[in-house]
């Protein structure tokens, strides 16, 4: 049976060259913080990786903190805001002391949403910005909130942090980060963006965007799982989530995960070299899939924004067919995709992202995300287009029978 992997936004396979570097690095067992020669060699390789990552997103190597992945990086930013003592006793008091408002969006990754909800329970006021039908945030509402923050003299009403993802993992929509960040800074707020789904797909330039924090994950760019990074602009507050040793200048304790970090560096180098070809390749496949499916399956809806979205992602609703059922049938045919809806403890829960775009429950339940990658081929697209139309018409005929 043909196997087709179209779930690259969930995770990517290892790049062959990255795998080679990773395996070689597994031999380097010395602790990167040890003073002896073997330790220094590991430390040197970690610094090379740091430079490779810095080059990819255009920052200084000293502005990067290695973490265990995107989730940890995002948690670190929110926990820093929660470190009251940290913000009120340090040199940051004048800039941020007493600020209690946070702005984020309804379509963030769960690790941001949960972190934000936790802060809401600890006395912060959190605004979850709505999005339009294509997943773009309401910029007017955003600007109005920041304007309020500028006008008030009450520090508690002032915005401390804005956290808006660069590109959405389910529908791919890209937000105008540079513009949004500039508004936040005019109101004296810090700006964080989760760029996990943007890095390696579109140019990410922290100097140009001027963001304060930016999150990256290695396993979404053909590297190993369990490693990521947080960009922290020089001079911006950061409180370590993991307390312990002095690694990362005290920003993140724990013995360096050297093999993964070294492989991460290689993955960044390759992502940079392949950025243009990645874009053209994945976009061509995605557009081909959409064109053929629109022709061969009646009444489908493309969610998100193909024009202002990452090139590899499309989320499609098939009204009258249930997402989990489509997924199961695709899986039986060797096609590994994802639903837009998550199955929470046996009950079907609609995707928070699709719900936020105003898609009704029926469309939200019948949606599938196809996310392509650099190893995807036109033959993969052709196979999906051959297999999917009969699956949809079968499922639709069942659901009509049930209704009548
Ligand atoms: C995958 C993902 C994360 C989580 O990254 P991990 O390294 O798996 O913890 C965070 N945000 C987005 C948008 C993601 O797609």
């Amino acid at each position: 049976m043909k196997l087709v992997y179209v779930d690259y936004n969930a995770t990517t396979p290892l790049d062959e060259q990255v795998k080679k570097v990773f395996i070689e690095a597994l031999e380097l067992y010395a602790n990167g913080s040890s003073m002896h020669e073997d330790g220094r060699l590991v430390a040197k390789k970690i610094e090379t990786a740091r430079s490779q990552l810095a080059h990819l997103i255009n920052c200084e190597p000293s502005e990067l903190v290695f973490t265990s992945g995107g989730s940890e990086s995002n948690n670190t930013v929110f926990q820093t805001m929660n470190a009251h003592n940290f913000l009120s006793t340090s040199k940051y008091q004048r800039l941020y002391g007493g600020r209690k408002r946070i702005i984020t969006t309804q379509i963030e990754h769960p690790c941001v949403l949960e972190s934000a909800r936790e802060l809401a329970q600890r006395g912060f006021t959190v605004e979850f910005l709505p999005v339009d039908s294509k997943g773009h945030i309401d910029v007017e509402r955003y600007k109005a909130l920041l304007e309020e923050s500028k006008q008030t003299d009450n520090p508690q009403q002032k915005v401390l942090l804005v956290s808006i993802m660069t590109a959405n993992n389910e529908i791919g929509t890209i937000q105008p980060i540079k513009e949004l960040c500039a508004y936040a800074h005019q109101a004296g707020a810090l700006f964080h963006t989760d760029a996990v789904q943007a890095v390696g797909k579109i140019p990410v330039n922290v100097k140009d965007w001027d963001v304060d924090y930016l999150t990256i994950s290695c396993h979404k760019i053909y590297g190993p799982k369990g490693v990521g990074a947080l960009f922290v602009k020089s001079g911006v507050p950061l409180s370590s989530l993991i307390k312990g040793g002095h690694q990362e200048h005290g920003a993140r304790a724990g013995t360096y995960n050297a093999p993964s970090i070294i492989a991460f560096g290689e993955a960044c180098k390759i992502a940079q070299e392949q950025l243009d070809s990645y874009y053209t390749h994945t976009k061509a496949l995605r557009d081909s899939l959409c064109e053929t499916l629109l022709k061969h399956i009646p009444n489908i809806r493309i969610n998100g924004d193909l024009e202002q979205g990452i090139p590899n992602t499309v989320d499609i609703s098939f009204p009258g067919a249930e997402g989990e059922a489509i997924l199961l049938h695709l899986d039986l045919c060797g096609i590994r995709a994802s639903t837009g809806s998550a199955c929470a403890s046996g009950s079907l829960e609609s995707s928070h992202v699709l719900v936020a775009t105003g898609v009704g429950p029926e469309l939200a339940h019948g949606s599938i995300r196809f996310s392509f990658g650099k190893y995807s081929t036109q033959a993969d697209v052709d196979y999906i287009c051959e297999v999917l139309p009969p699956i949809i018409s079968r499922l639709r005929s069942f659901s009509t029978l049930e209704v009548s």
Side-chain angles (χ1 to χ4, degrees):
M1 181 173 63
K2 187 172 166 56
L3 284 183
V4 171
Y5 185 78
V6 274
D7 201 16
Y8 280 80
N9 284 9
T11 195
T12 57
L14 281 176
D15 175 281
E16 280 303 320
Q17 175 61 21
V18 172
K19 191 196 273 181
K20 198 166 145 260
V21 168
F22 189 33
I23 290 171
E24 275 169 22
L26 287 171
E27 303 288 340
L28 304 170
Y29 60 84
N31 189 318
S33 305
S34 294
M35 299 295 278
H36 49 66
E37 190 176 338
D38 293 4
R40 291 201 311 272
L41 173 69
V42 167
K44 192 159 163 264
K45 286 185 177 286
I46 289 173
E47 292 319 304
T48 302
R50 203 187 302 277
S51 299
Q52 287 165 323
L53 173 50
H55 203 239
L56 177 62
I57 64 168
N58 192 27
C59 69
E60 299 303 321
S62 59
E63 294 173 308
L64 290 168
V65 177
F66 286 116
T67 65
S68 69
S71 299
E72 183 187 322
S73 298
N74 287 341
N75 272 265
T76 301
V77 172
F78 280 83
Q79 284 307 313
T80 291
M81 302 306 126
N82 193 28
H84 297 281
N85 298 336
F86 179 72
L87 284 182
S88 59
T89 59
S90 64
K91 59 182 170 175
Y92 303 112
Q93 161 66 28
R94 189 180 56 81
L95 292 172
Y96 311 114
R99 290 191 176 221
K100 283 284 181 203
R101 293 188 80 177
I102 289 174
I103 300 176
T104 184
T105 80
Q106 293 179 3
I107 61 167
E108 298 298 311
H109 190 272
C111 63
V112 165
L113 290 178
E114 284 304 313
S115 298
R117 285 186 197 121
E118 188 188 345
L119 291 199
Q121 290 186 340
R122 292 177 190 261
F124 286 82
T125 309
V126 184
E127 192 78 33
F128 295 90
L129 285 174
V131 296
D132 67 16
S133 61
K134 291 186 162 184
H136 299 286
I137 67 154
D138 183 343
V139 178
E140 289 314 309
R141 177 159 176 75
Y142 174 69
K143 285 201 257 182
L145 285 168
L146 290 168
E147 198 52 43
E148 259 174 59
S149 174
K150 272 196 262 182
Q151 302 297 335
T152 177
D153 290 328
N154 180 354
Q156 298 217 357
Q157 299 289 325
K158 285 187 178 289
V159 176
L160 173 60
L161 174 77
V162 175
S163 179
I164 298 177
M165 70 201 321
T166 311
N168 183 266
N169 44 306
E170 287 187 32
I171 55 176
T173 309
I174 297 171
Q175 310 294 340
I177 296 303
K178 183 178 177 176
E179 179 193 341
L180 299 175
C181 179
Y183 290 126
H185 284 166
Q186 282 164 24
L190 292 159
F191 192 96
H192 165 245
T193 187
D194 173 350
V196 169
Q197 291 294 345
V199 172
K201 296 176 181 167
I202 56 169
V204 169
N205 187 333
V206 294
K207 281 220 174 89
D208 180 46
W209 296 357
D210 198 32
V211 296
D212 298 295
Y213 307 99
L214 182 136
T215 293
I216 310 152
S217 175
C218 177
H219 74 98
K220 306 281 172 84
I221 59 166
Y222 308 91
K225 294 156 191 30
V227 63
L230 179 65
F231 158 80
V232 185
K233 194 204 286 175
S234 171
V236 158
L238 187 77
S239 151
S240 177
L241 187 67
I242 314 284
K243 272 104 185 154
H246 299 296
Q247 292 89 354
E248 301 297 75
H249 302 289
R252 204 279 187 181
T255 301
Y256 283 109
N257 181 358
S260 296
I261 292 173
I262 293 165
F264 189 10
E266 187 68 21
C268 290
K269 185 178 136 222
I270 294 170
Q272 181 149 27
E273 289 164 2
Q274 297 180 342
L275 189 60
D276 292 340
S277 61
Y278 175 92
Y279 194 95
T280 341
H281 177 70
T282 56
K283 185 174 186 302
L285 296 177
R286 182 198 67 183
D287 292 350
S288 164
L289 178 81
C290 292
E291 198 190 317
T292 312
L293 291 186
L294 281 168
K295 233 184 270 168
H296 295 293
I297 307 178
N299 187 23
I300 67 177
R301 183 195 135 112
I302 292 177
N303 301 307
D305 189 343
L306 296 186
E307 297 296 316
Q308 286 176 63
I310 42 177
N312 73 317
T313 307
V314 63
D315 187 282
I316 307 178
S317 290
F318 302 91
E322 205 270 303
E324 310 287 326
I326 304 169
L327 200 69
L328 212 82
H329 281 82
L330 286 176
D331 198 25
L332 289 171
C333 298
I335 299 169
R336 317 301 191 216
S338 268
T339 48
S341 65
C343 189
S345 60
S347 70
L348 288 174
E349 201 179 89
S350 296
S351 143
H352 68 282
V353 175
L354 292 181
V355 170
T357 64
V359 161
E362 198 211 8
L363 283 171
H365 275 308
S367 103
I368 299 288
R369 175 187 71 187
F370 300 95
S371 50
F372 294 98
K374 65 180 181 184
Y375 302 123
S376 304
T377 63
Q378 183 61 43
D380 293 344
V381 174
D382 295 344
Y383 183 58
I384 298 169
C385 292
E386 177 193 321
V387 165
L388 190 54
I391 292 177
I392 300 297
S393 57
R394 275 239 314 283
L395 291 172
R396 278 177 173 168
S397 67
F398 293 151
S399 78
T400 330
L401 286 179
E402 273 168 33
V403 175
S404 57

